[in-house]
Amino acid sequence: MAETTRLTIQIKDIDNVAVAVHDLPAGTVIECGVTTLADIPQAHKIALTDIPAGGEIIRYGVVLGYAKADIPAGSWINEHMLNLPESPSVENLPYGTNILQPEDLPMPQRTTWMGYRNETGPAATRNLLGIVTTVQCAAGVLKVAVERIKKELLPKYPNVDGVVAVTHPYGCGVAINAPLAYLPIRAITNVIRHPNFGGEIMVVGLGCEKLTYDRVLPPEDITPENVLTLQDWPGHDAMMQAILDMAEKKLQKLNLRQREELPLSELLVGMQCGGSDAFSGITANPSAGYAADLLVRGGGTVMFSEVTEVRDGVQMLAARCPDAHTRDRLAQEMKWYDDYLAAGGVDRDANPTPGNKKGGLANIVEKAMGSIAKSGTSPIVEVLSPAEKPTKHGLIYAATPASDIVCGPCQVASGIGLQVFMTGRGTPYGLDIAPVIKVCSRNEMKEHWFDMIDISAGAVATGEATIAEVGTEIFNMILDVASGIREPYSDQYGFHNDMCIFNPAPIT
Protein backbone atom coordinates (compact mmCIF):
# COMPACT_ATOMS: atom_id res chain seq x y z
CA MET A 1 0.00 0.00 0.00
CA ALA A 2 1.35 3.43 -0.90
CA GLU A 3 2.07 5.87 1.90
CA THR A 4 -0.77 8.28 2.58
CA THR A 5 -0.57 11.94 3.51
CA ARG A 6 -2.25 11.12 6.83
CA LEU A 7 -1.61 13.83 9.42
CA THR A 8 -3.39 12.40 12.45
CA ILE A 9 -4.91 9.18 13.74
CA GLN A 10 -8.20 9.03 15.60
CA ILE A 11 -8.88 5.56 17.07
CA LYS A 12 -12.63 5.69 17.79
CA ASP A 13 -15.35 7.94 16.41
CA ILE A 14 -16.20 9.09 19.93
CA ASP A 15 -12.61 10.16 20.64
CA ASN A 16 -12.19 13.91 21.06
CA VAL A 17 -8.43 13.73 20.49
CA ALA A 18 -6.19 12.48 17.71
CA VAL A 19 -2.43 11.90 17.64
CA ALA A 20 0.00 13.49 15.21
CA VAL A 21 1.60 11.06 12.74
CA HIS A 22 4.55 13.46 12.38
CA ASP A 23 5.48 16.79 13.96
CA LEU A 24 2.81 19.31 12.96
CA PRO A 25 3.49 23.07 12.96
CA ALA A 26 0.95 25.52 14.32
CA GLY A 27 -1.61 26.46 11.69
CA THR A 28 -1.84 22.98 10.16
CA VAL A 29 -5.36 22.03 9.09
CA ILE A 30 -5.87 18.37 9.99
CA GLU A 31 -8.34 15.87 8.52
CA CYS A 32 -11.37 16.91 10.56
CA GLY A 33 -10.91 20.57 9.60
CA VAL A 34 -9.46 21.66 12.95
CA THR A 35 -6.43 23.98 12.81
CA THR A 36 -3.57 23.31 15.22
CA LEU A 37 -3.08 26.19 17.65
CA ALA A 38 0.48 25.21 18.56
CA ASP A 39 3.31 23.05 17.30
CA ILE A 40 2.27 19.43 17.96
CA PRO A 41 5.11 16.93 18.52
CA GLN A 42 4.89 13.55 16.84
CA ALA A 43 2.56 11.12 18.67
CA HIS A 44 1.09 13.82 20.88
CA LYS A 45 -2.60 14.56 21.19
CA ILE A 46 -4.61 17.30 19.48
CA ALA A 47 -8.01 18.39 20.79
CA LEU A 48 -10.60 17.80 18.07
CA THR A 49 -13.31 19.78 19.88
CA ASP A 50 -13.51 22.40 22.58
CA ILE A 51 -13.15 20.59 25.91
CA PRO A 52 -14.36 22.49 28.98
CA ALA A 53 -12.62 22.39 32.36
CA GLY A 54 -13.60 19.11 34.00
CA GLY A 55 -14.58 17.65 30.63
CA GLU A 56 -13.65 14.16 29.52
CA ILE A 57 -10.59 13.61 27.34
CA ILE A 58 -11.32 10.47 25.32
CA ARG A 59 -8.98 8.21 23.34
CA TYR A 60 -9.50 4.52 22.42
CA GLY A 61 -13.13 5.25 23.33
CA VAL A 62 -11.95 5.47 26.97
CA VAL A 63 -11.78 8.43 29.33
CA LEU A 64 -8.08 9.15 29.83
CA GLY A 65 -8.78 11.89 32.34
CA TYR A 66 -10.48 15.21 32.95
CA ALA A 67 -9.34 18.59 31.68
CA LYS A 68 -7.80 20.79 34.36
CA ALA A 69 -8.80 23.90 32.39
CA ASP A 70 -10.63 24.80 29.19
CA ILE A 71 -8.94 23.26 26.13
CA PRO A 72 -9.82 24.86 22.77
CA ALA A 73 -10.03 22.70 19.66
CA GLY A 74 -6.62 22.45 17.98
CA SER A 75 -4.69 22.60 21.26
CA TRP A 76 -1.78 20.36 22.15
CA ILE A 77 -2.86 18.11 25.03
CA ASN A 78 -0.02 16.88 27.23
CA GLU A 79 0.34 15.14 30.58
CA HIS A 80 0.07 18.37 32.57
CA MET A 81 -3.49 19.04 31.40
CA LEU A 82 -5.35 15.98 32.76
CA ASN A 83 -6.60 14.83 36.13
CA LEU A 84 -6.41 11.06 36.52
CA PRO A 85 -9.71 9.15 36.74
CA GLU A 86 -10.43 6.60 39.46
CA SER A 87 -9.24 3.04 38.93
CA PRO A 88 -11.90 0.65 37.66
CA SER A 89 -13.23 -1.53 40.44
CA VAL A 90 -12.16 -5.16 40.52
CA GLU A 91 -15.32 -6.19 42.33
CA ASN A 92 -18.04 -8.15 40.50
CA LEU A 93 -16.40 -7.85 37.09
CA PRO A 94 -18.43 -9.38 34.26
CA TYR A 95 -16.79 -12.31 32.51
CA GLY A 96 -17.25 -14.24 29.30
CA THR A 97 -18.89 -11.37 27.43
CA ASN A 98 -16.17 -11.06 24.76
CA ILE A 99 -15.08 -14.61 23.94
CA LEU A 100 -13.94 -15.30 20.40
CA GLN A 101 -14.22 -18.79 19.01
CA PRO A 102 -11.09 -20.42 17.48
CA GLU A 103 -12.46 -19.94 13.98
CA ASP A 104 -12.68 -16.20 14.65
CA LEU A 105 -8.90 -15.95 15.01
CA PRO A 106 -6.58 -15.64 11.99
CA MET A 107 -5.21 -18.92 10.65
CA PRO A 108 -1.39 -19.21 10.59
CA GLN A 109 0.34 -20.42 7.45
CA ARG A 110 2.97 -22.19 9.56
CA THR A 111 2.05 -24.59 12.36
CA THR A 112 5.42 -26.17 13.22
CA TRP A 113 8.88 -25.02 14.28
CA MET A 114 12.27 -26.57 15.00
CA GLY A 115 12.97 -26.88 18.71
CA TYR A 116 14.50 -29.08 21.39
CA ARG A 117 11.87 -31.35 22.93
CA ASN A 118 11.83 -31.61 26.73
CA GLU A 119 10.45 -34.46 28.82
CA THR A 120 7.90 -32.10 30.36
CA GLY A 121 6.70 -28.58 29.70
CA PRO A 122 7.44 -26.34 26.71
CA ALA A 123 10.17 -27.19 24.23
CA ALA A 124 13.44 -25.26 24.16
CA THR A 125 14.29 -22.57 21.64
CA ARG A 126 17.96 -22.71 22.65
CA ASN A 127 20.26 -25.44 23.98
CA LEU A 128 22.01 -23.74 26.90
CA LEU A 129 23.98 -24.71 29.95
CA GLY A 130 22.43 -22.64 32.70
CA ILE A 131 24.33 -22.24 35.97
CA VAL A 132 22.25 -20.66 38.74
CA THR A 133 23.55 -19.13 41.97
CA THR A 134 21.77 -19.36 45.30
CA VAL A 135 23.24 -16.06 46.46
CA GLN A 136 24.79 -12.92 45.02
CA CYS A 137 28.00 -13.66 46.94
CA ALA A 138 28.79 -16.40 44.40
CA ALA A 139 28.15 -14.21 41.37
CA GLY A 140 31.70 -12.93 40.86
CA VAL A 141 33.25 -16.39 40.92
CA LEU A 142 30.59 -17.81 38.61
CA LYS A 143 30.94 -15.04 36.04
CA VAL A 144 34.68 -15.64 35.79
CA ALA A 145 34.14 -19.40 35.61
CA VAL A 146 31.58 -19.03 32.82
CA GLU A 147 34.02 -17.00 30.72
CA ARG A 148 36.52 -19.85 31.10
CA ILE A 149 33.85 -22.42 30.21
CA LYS A 150 33.01 -20.49 27.05
CA LYS A 151 36.64 -20.23 26.04
CA GLU A 152 38.03 -23.59 27.13
CA LEU A 153 35.12 -26.03 26.97
CA LEU A 154 32.30 -24.80 24.77
CA PRO A 155 34.19 -25.14 21.44
CA LYS A 156 34.29 -28.91 22.04
CA TYR A 157 30.48 -29.11 22.13
CA PRO A 158 29.13 -27.54 18.92
CA ASN A 159 25.50 -28.51 19.58
CA VAL A 160 25.38 -26.35 22.71
CA ASP A 161 24.35 -22.77 21.95
CA GLY A 162 25.93 -21.13 24.97
CA VAL A 163 26.53 -20.96 28.70
CA VAL A 164 24.54 -18.63 30.94
CA ALA A 165 25.44 -17.50 34.45
CA VAL A 166 22.15 -16.80 36.20
CA THR A 167 23.07 -14.43 39.01
CA HIS A 168 20.61 -12.40 41.04
CA PRO A 169 20.49 -10.05 44.06
CA TYR A 170 18.85 -12.57 46.41
CA GLY A 171 19.82 -15.37 48.77
CA CYS A 172 21.16 -13.75 51.94
CA GLY A 173 20.53 -10.67 54.05
CA VAL A 174 16.85 -11.38 53.39
CA ALA A 175 13.88 -12.39 55.49
CA ILE A 176 13.84 -15.88 54.06
CA ASN A 177 10.67 -16.93 55.92
CA ALA A 178 8.73 -13.70 55.35
CA PRO A 179 5.21 -14.19 53.92
CA LEU A 180 6.23 -12.83 50.50
CA ALA A 181 9.60 -14.59 50.29
CA TYR A 182 7.93 -17.34 48.27
CA LEU A 183 7.92 -15.01 45.24
CA PRO A 184 11.70 -14.70 44.68
CA ILE A 185 12.22 -18.30 45.83
CA ARG A 186 9.67 -19.55 43.29
CA ALA A 187 11.34 -17.50 40.56
CA ILE A 188 14.78 -18.98 41.25
CA THR A 189 13.35 -22.49 41.60
CA ASN A 190 11.64 -22.26 38.22
CA VAL A 191 14.60 -20.64 36.45
CA ILE A 192 16.78 -23.59 37.47
CA ARG A 193 14.47 -25.77 35.37
CA HIS A 194 14.03 -23.39 32.47
CA PRO A 195 13.16 -25.23 29.23
CA ASN A 196 16.24 -23.84 27.48
CA PHE A 197 18.48 -25.59 30.04
CA GLY A 198 17.39 -29.02 28.80
CA GLY A 199 16.77 -30.53 32.23
CA GLU A 200 20.43 -30.21 33.29
CA ILE A 201 20.68 -28.75 36.82
CA MET A 202 23.77 -26.85 37.94
CA VAL A 203 23.48 -24.71 41.07
CA VAL A 204 26.37 -22.88 42.74
CA GLY A 205 26.15 -21.70 46.36
CA LEU A 206 28.54 -20.08 48.78
CA GLY A 207 27.76 -22.20 51.83
CA CYS A 208 26.45 -19.81 54.48
CA GLU A 209 23.47 -18.19 52.73
CA LYS A 210 19.84 -18.34 53.79
CA LEU A 211 18.66 -19.64 50.40
CA THR A 212 19.83 -23.20 50.93
CA TYR A 213 19.61 -25.87 48.24
CA ASP A 214 16.57 -27.50 49.82
CA ARG A 215 14.53 -24.34 49.22
CA VAL A 216 14.99 -24.51 45.44
CA LEU A 217 15.54 -28.22 44.74
CA PRO A 218 13.82 -31.46 45.78
CA PRO A 219 15.98 -33.85 47.88
CA GLU A 220 16.66 -36.20 44.96
CA ASP A 221 18.30 -33.39 42.98
CA ILE A 222 20.65 -32.21 45.75
CA THR A 223 23.61 -34.29 44.62
CA PRO A 224 27.31 -33.65 43.92
CA GLU A 225 26.43 -33.84 40.22
CA ASN A 226 24.04 -30.87 40.50
CA VAL A 227 25.19 -28.57 43.33
CA LEU A 228 28.54 -27.05 44.18
CA THR A 229 29.40 -25.12 47.36
CA LEU A 230 32.29 -22.69 46.99
CA GLN A 231 33.31 -22.85 50.67
CA ASP A 232 34.02 -26.57 50.27
CA TRP A 233 36.98 -25.94 47.96
CA PRO A 234 40.54 -24.98 49.04
CA GLY A 235 41.40 -21.86 47.14
CA HIS A 236 40.85 -20.34 43.74
CA ASP A 237 42.26 -23.00 41.45
CA ALA A 238 40.44 -25.90 43.08
CA MET A 239 37.19 -23.94 43.12
CA MET A 240 37.45 -23.03 39.44
CA GLN A 241 38.40 -26.54 38.41
CA ALA A 242 35.43 -27.97 40.27
CA ILE A 243 33.07 -25.68 38.40
CA LEU A 244 34.66 -26.52 35.05
CA ASP A 245 34.55 -30.26 35.76
CA MET A 246 30.88 -30.16 36.66
CA ALA A 247 30.10 -27.97 33.64
CA GLU A 248 31.84 -30.33 31.24
CA LYS A 249 29.72 -33.27 32.35
CA LYS A 250 26.61 -31.21 31.71
CA LEU A 251 27.89 -30.03 28.33
CA GLN A 252 28.48 -33.63 27.27
CA LYS A 253 24.80 -34.43 27.85
CA LEU A 254 23.49 -31.22 26.29
CA ASN A 255 25.60 -31.80 23.19
CA LEU A 256 23.50 -34.87 22.39
CA ARG A 257 20.35 -32.78 21.97
CA GLN A 258 19.09 -32.04 18.45
CA ARG A 259 16.40 -29.79 17.06
CA GLU A 260 13.33 -31.53 15.68
CA GLU A 261 10.10 -30.43 14.05
CA LEU A 262 7.55 -29.64 16.72
CA PRO A 263 3.95 -28.39 16.84
CA LEU A 264 3.20 -24.85 18.00
CA SER A 265 1.68 -26.37 21.13
CA GLU A 266 5.24 -26.84 22.43
CA LEU A 267 6.14 -23.14 22.05
CA LEU A 268 5.69 -20.59 24.87
CA VAL A 269 6.15 -16.93 23.89
CA GLY A 270 6.16 -13.87 26.13
CA MET A 271 4.89 -10.42 25.12
CA GLN A 272 6.27 -7.33 26.84
CA CYS A 273 6.55 -3.62 26.09
CA GLY A 274 8.85 -0.89 27.34
CA GLY A 275 9.64 2.67 26.33
CA SER A 276 6.06 2.97 25.11
CA ASP A 277 4.72 5.96 23.23
CA ALA A 278 1.33 7.00 21.88
CA PHE A 279 1.94 4.96 18.71
CA SER A 280 2.49 1.74 20.68
CA GLY A 281 -1.25 1.13 20.91
CA ILE A 282 -1.73 1.92 17.21
CA THR A 283 1.11 0.04 15.54
CA ALA A 284 3.53 -2.20 17.49
CA ASN A 285 1.24 -3.64 20.16
CA PRO A 286 -1.75 -4.42 17.90
CA SER A 287 0.64 -6.04 15.43
CA ALA A 288 2.13 -8.16 18.20
CA GLY A 289 -1.43 -8.96 19.27
CA TYR A 290 -2.18 -10.23 15.77
CA ALA A 291 0.92 -12.44 15.98
CA ALA A 292 -0.34 -13.67 19.36
CA ASP A 293 -3.68 -14.60 17.80
CA LEU A 294 -1.88 -16.54 15.05
CA LEU A 295 0.13 -18.44 17.66
CA VAL A 296 -2.92 -19.25 19.77
CA ARG A 297 -4.95 -20.35 16.73
CA GLY A 298 -2.07 -22.65 15.81
CA GLY A 299 -2.05 -24.24 19.27
CA GLY A 300 0.74 -22.18 20.86
CA THR A 301 0.84 -20.43 24.23
CA VAL A 302 1.32 -16.68 24.62
CA MET A 303 1.92 -14.86 27.88
CA PHE A 304 1.41 -11.14 28.53
CA SER A 305 1.99 -9.30 31.80
CA GLU A 306 2.59 -5.95 33.54
CA VAL A 307 -0.12 -5.27 36.14
CA THR A 308 -0.06 -1.46 36.16
CA GLU A 309 -0.13 -1.45 32.36
CA VAL A 310 -3.41 -3.38 32.21
CA ARG A 311 -5.03 -2.25 35.47
CA ASP A 312 -7.15 0.47 33.83
CA GLY A 313 -8.47 -2.02 31.31
CA VAL A 314 -9.23 -4.81 33.76
CA GLN A 315 -12.87 -4.88 32.71
CA MET A 316 -11.78 -5.54 29.11
CA LEU A 317 -9.63 -8.46 30.22
CA ALA A 318 -12.35 -9.86 32.47
CA ALA A 319 -14.71 -9.91 29.48
CA ARG A 320 -12.23 -12.27 27.79
CA CYS A 321 -12.12 -14.67 30.78
CA PRO A 322 -14.30 -17.67 29.96
CA ASP A 323 -15.32 -18.47 33.54
CA ALA A 324 -15.70 -17.00 37.02
CA HIS A 325 -12.55 -18.72 38.34
CA THR A 326 -10.28 -17.05 35.76
CA ARG A 327 -12.04 -13.71 36.32
CA ASP A 328 -11.55 -14.05 40.07
CA ARG A 329 -7.86 -14.85 39.66
CA LEU A 330 -7.48 -11.73 37.52
CA ALA A 331 -9.23 -9.60 40.15
CA GLN A 332 -7.11 -11.17 42.90
CA GLU A 333 -3.85 -10.25 41.15
CA MET A 334 -5.04 -6.69 40.49
CA LYS A 335 -6.09 -6.27 44.13
CA TRP A 336 -2.77 -7.64 45.39
CA TYR A 337 -0.88 -5.09 43.33
CA ASP A 338 -3.18 -2.24 44.33
CA ASP A 339 -2.37 -3.02 47.97
CA TYR A 340 1.35 -3.40 47.21
CA LEU A 341 1.51 0.05 45.62
CA ALA A 342 -0.58 1.63 48.36
CA ALA A 343 1.77 0.22 51.00
CA GLY A 344 4.60 1.99 49.18
CA GLY A 345 2.72 5.29 49.18
CA VAL A 346 2.10 5.47 45.41
CA ASP A 347 -0.58 4.54 42.92
CA ARG A 348 -0.57 3.16 39.39
CA ASP A 349 0.32 6.53 37.83
CA ALA A 350 3.83 6.21 39.27
CA ASN A 351 4.41 3.92 36.26
CA PRO A 352 4.83 6.26 33.23
CA THR A 353 8.39 7.40 32.59
CA PRO A 354 9.71 10.71 31.24
CA GLY A 355 10.27 8.90 27.94
CA ASN A 356 6.66 7.68 27.86
CA LYS A 357 5.45 11.26 28.33
CA LYS A 358 7.85 12.64 25.74
CA GLY A 359 6.37 10.03 23.40
CA GLY A 360 2.88 11.43 23.88
CA LEU A 361 1.47 9.33 26.73
CA ALA A 362 -0.42 11.54 29.17
CA ASN A 363 -0.88 9.04 32.01
CA ILE A 364 -1.15 5.39 32.95
CA VAL A 365 -4.68 5.07 31.54
CA GLU A 366 -3.50 5.94 28.05
CA LYS A 367 -0.46 3.69 28.43
CA ALA A 368 -2.61 0.78 29.58
CA MET A 369 -5.02 1.06 26.67
CA GLY A 370 -2.11 0.70 24.26
CA SER A 371 -0.40 -1.99 26.31
CA ILE A 372 -3.39 -4.34 26.35
CA ALA A 373 -3.35 -4.48 22.55
CA LYS A 374 -0.33 -6.81 22.60
CA SER A 375 -2.56 -9.57 23.98
CA GLY A 376 -4.56 -9.80 20.76
CA THR A 377 -8.17 -10.94 20.96
CA SER A 378 -8.01 -14.55 22.21
CA PRO A 379 -9.78 -15.71 25.37
CA ILE A 380 -7.63 -15.60 28.53
CA VAL A 381 -7.43 -19.24 29.60
CA GLU A 382 -5.33 -18.82 32.74
CA VAL A 383 -4.07 -16.15 35.17
CA LEU A 384 -0.72 -16.66 36.91
CA SER A 385 1.00 -15.04 39.86
CA PRO A 386 4.58 -13.78 39.30
CA ALA A 387 6.99 -16.53 38.16
CA GLU A 388 4.35 -19.29 38.14
CA LYS A 389 4.42 -21.87 35.37
CA PRO A 390 1.39 -22.19 33.07
CA THR A 391 -0.73 -25.32 33.07
CA LYS A 392 -2.77 -24.59 29.95
CA HIS A 393 -2.27 -23.74 26.27
CA GLY A 394 -3.57 -20.50 24.80
CA LEU A 395 -3.45 -16.88 25.96
CA ILE A 396 -2.25 -16.44 29.56
CA TYR A 397 -2.11 -13.37 31.74
CA ALA A 398 0.94 -13.58 34.02
CA ALA A 399 0.83 -10.88 36.68
CA THR A 400 4.21 -9.17 37.02
CA PRO A 401 5.56 -5.70 37.72
CA ALA A 402 5.70 -3.51 34.63
CA SER A 403 9.40 -2.74 35.06
CA ASP A 404 11.11 -4.20 31.98
CA ILE A 405 14.02 -5.64 33.91
CA VAL A 406 11.72 -7.34 36.46
CA CYS A 407 8.92 -8.43 34.13
CA GLY A 408 11.39 -10.20 31.84
CA PRO A 409 12.87 -12.44 34.55
CA CYS A 410 9.34 -13.20 35.84
CA GLN A 411 8.30 -14.40 32.37
CA VAL A 412 11.55 -16.36 32.05
CA ALA A 413 10.79 -18.07 35.37
CA SER A 414 7.37 -18.95 33.92
CA GLY A 415 9.19 -20.74 31.10
CA ILE A 416 9.04 -18.54 28.01
CA GLY A 417 11.36 -19.69 25.24
CA LEU A 418 11.29 -16.35 23.46
CA GLN A 419 10.04 -12.82 24.10
CA VAL A 420 8.65 -10.16 21.77
CA PHE A 421 9.37 -6.69 23.11
CA MET A 422 7.58 -3.60 21.79
CA THR A 423 9.13 -0.15 22.17
CA GLY A 424 8.39 3.37 21.03
CA ARG A 425 11.35 5.23 22.50
CA GLY A 426 13.97 2.47 22.09
CA THR A 427 15.87 0.26 24.53
CA PRO A 428 18.81 -2.16 24.19
CA TYR A 429 17.05 -4.59 26.58
CA GLY A 430 17.66 -8.30 26.15
CA LEU A 431 17.63 -11.62 28.00
CA ASP A 432 20.42 -14.20 27.95
CA ILE A 433 18.15 -17.17 28.73
CA ALA A 434 15.60 -16.50 25.97
CA PRO A 435 16.00 -14.50 22.74
CA VAL A 436 14.20 -11.15 22.50
CA ILE A 437 12.73 -9.75 19.27
CA LYS A 438 12.45 -5.94 19.26
CA VAL A 439 9.47 -4.31 17.53
CA CYS A 440 9.30 -0.51 17.38
CA SER A 441 6.19 1.62 16.97
CA ARG A 442 7.57 4.27 14.57
CA ASN A 443 9.68 4.23 11.44
CA GLU A 444 11.85 7.02 12.85
CA MET A 445 12.93 4.70 15.66
CA LYS A 446 13.93 1.98 13.20
CA GLU A 447 15.82 4.49 11.05
CA HIS A 448 17.68 5.77 14.12
CA TRP A 449 18.48 2.32 15.53
CA PHE A 450 18.55 0.55 12.18
CA ASP A 451 20.83 -2.20 13.50
CA MET A 452 19.22 -2.65 16.94
CA ILE A 453 15.49 -2.87 16.18
CA ASP A 454 14.38 -6.08 14.48
CA ILE A 455 10.99 -5.01 13.06
CA SER A 456 9.28 -1.65 12.63
CA ALA A 457 5.51 -1.43 12.87
CA GLY A 458 5.62 2.24 11.92
CA ALA A 459 4.26 1.53 8.46
CA VAL A 460 0.86 0.94 10.08
CA ALA A 461 0.75 4.60 11.14
CA THR A 462 1.75 5.92 7.72
CA GLY A 463 -0.64 3.63 5.85
CA GLU A 464 2.09 1.60 4.12
CA ALA A 465 1.10 -1.65 5.86
CA THR A 466 -1.74 -3.20 7.83
CA ILE A 467 -1.69 -4.62 11.34
CA ALA A 468 -2.22 -8.07 9.83
CA GLU A 469 0.81 -7.65 7.52
CA VAL A 470 3.15 -6.52 10.30
CA GLY A 471 1.66 -9.08 12.68
CA THR A 472 2.39 -11.85 10.19
CA GLU A 473 5.97 -10.55 9.85
CA ILE A 474 6.35 -10.74 13.65
CA PHE A 475 4.83 -14.23 13.71
CA ASN A 476 7.25 -15.49 11.06
CA MET A 477 10.22 -14.00 12.89
CA ILE A 478 9.07 -15.63 16.13
CA LEU A 479 9.16 -19.04 14.47
CA ASP A 480 12.48 -18.33 12.73
CA VAL A 481 14.15 -17.15 15.95
CA ALA A 482 12.64 -19.99 17.98
CA SER A 483 13.96 -22.43 15.38
CA GLY A 484 17.47 -20.98 15.45
CA ILE A 485 17.23 -19.77 11.85
CA ARG A 486 17.52 -16.08 12.73
CA GLU A 487 19.21 -14.24 15.59
CA PRO A 488 17.73 -10.99 16.94
CA TYR A 489 20.02 -8.00 17.34
CA SER A 490 20.09 -8.23 21.15
CA ASP A 491 21.67 -11.68 20.89
CA GLN A 492 24.01 -10.70 18.07
CA TYR A 493 25.52 -8.03 20.31
CA GLY A 494 25.13 -9.85 23.63
CA PHE A 495 22.87 -7.14 25.06
CA HIS A 496 21.52 -9.04 28.07
CA ASN A 497 20.05 -7.47 31.20
CA ASP A 498 20.73 -8.64 34.74
CA MET A 499 18.39 -11.16 36.34
CA CYS A 500 16.38 -8.82 38.54
CA ILE A 501 14.22 -11.13 40.66
CA PHE A 502 10.98 -9.61 41.97
CA ASN A 503 11.38 -9.45 45.75
CA PRO A 504 8.65 -7.62 47.70
CA ALA A 505 9.81 -9.32 50.94
CA PRO A 506 12.01 -7.45 53.47
CA ILE A 507 15.77 -7.25 53.15
CA THR A 508 17.39 -7.54 56.53
Side-chain angles (χ1 to χ4, degrees), residues 130-328:
I131 311 175
V132 183
T133 59
T134 58
V135 65
Q136 177 61 209
C137 308
V141 171
L142 181 56
K143 288 179 180 178
V144 171
V146 163
E147 289 307 309
R148 286 191 58 182
I149 294 168
K150 289 178 179 178
K151 181 179 179 181
E152 299 172 26
L153 301 181
L154 194 58
K156 296 191 291 182
Y157 304 99
N159 293 334
V160 181
D161 296 320
V163 184
V164 175
V166 183
T167 62
H168 52 83
Y170 195 70
C172 210
V174 295
I176 200 72
N177 293 316
L180 294 177
Y182 73 91
L183 283 169
I185 294 172
R186 178 168 64 202
I188 294 165
T189 299
N190 287 344
V191 167
I192 290 171
R193 295 188 178 278
H194 190 275
N196 285 355
F197 297 161
E200 294 302 319
I201 296 169
M202 185 168 173
V203 180
V204 175
L206 178 60
C208 55
E209 61 269 25
K210 289 185 175 182
L211 188 68
T212 49
Y213 298 132
D214 60 296
R215 291 184 181 269
V216 293
L217 291 170
E220 62 270 21
D221 287 334
I222 304 174
T223 66
E225 290 75 31
N226 293 337
V227 302
L228 187 151
T229 304
L230 297 182
Q231 289 175 350
D232 289 347
W233 297 92
H236 172 275
D237 290 355
M239 185 184 298
M240 283 290 168
Q241 192 59 52
I243 295 173
L244 266 65
D245 288 347
M246 181 183 284
E248 183 146 32
K249 293 176 182 177
K250 303 293 183 183
L251 290 169
Q252 289 168 355
K253 295 179 182 179
L254 290 169
N255 197 54
L256 300 176
R257 287 165 61 82
Q258 299 284 339
R259 290 187 184 271
E260 57 184 289
E261 188 171 11
L262 300 171
L264 289 183
S265 59
E266 295 202 38
L267 181 61
L268 173 55
V269 174
M271 296 284 178
Q272 187 184 343
C273 46
S276 301
D277 67 357
F279 281 149
S280 294
I282 299 172
T283 62
N285 288 348
S287 297
Y290 188 88
D293 284 347
L294 288 170
L295 287 164
V296 170
R297 178 69 187 274
T301 303
V302 177
M303 178 182 297
F304 73 110
S305 301
E306 300 160 289
V307 172
T308 51
E309 295 184 15
V310 304
R311 177 65 180 82
D312 281 274
V314 64
Q315 69 282 2
M316 301 175 186
L317 299 185
R320 293 164 58 191
C321 294
D323 51 56
H325 171 73
T326 308
R327 182 274 315 269
D328 291 346

Side-chain angles (χ1 to χ4, degrees), residues 41-60:
Q42 183 186 40
H44 282 248
K45 290 173 289 300
I46 306 160
L48 301 181
T49 62
D50 293 332
I51 303 172
E56 297 176 341
I57 295 172
I58 303 172
R59 186 179 177 219
Y60 296 107

Side-chain angles (χ1 to χ4, degrees), residues 399-410:
T400 74
S403 166
D404 301 342
I405 58 173
V406 179
C407 175
C410 282

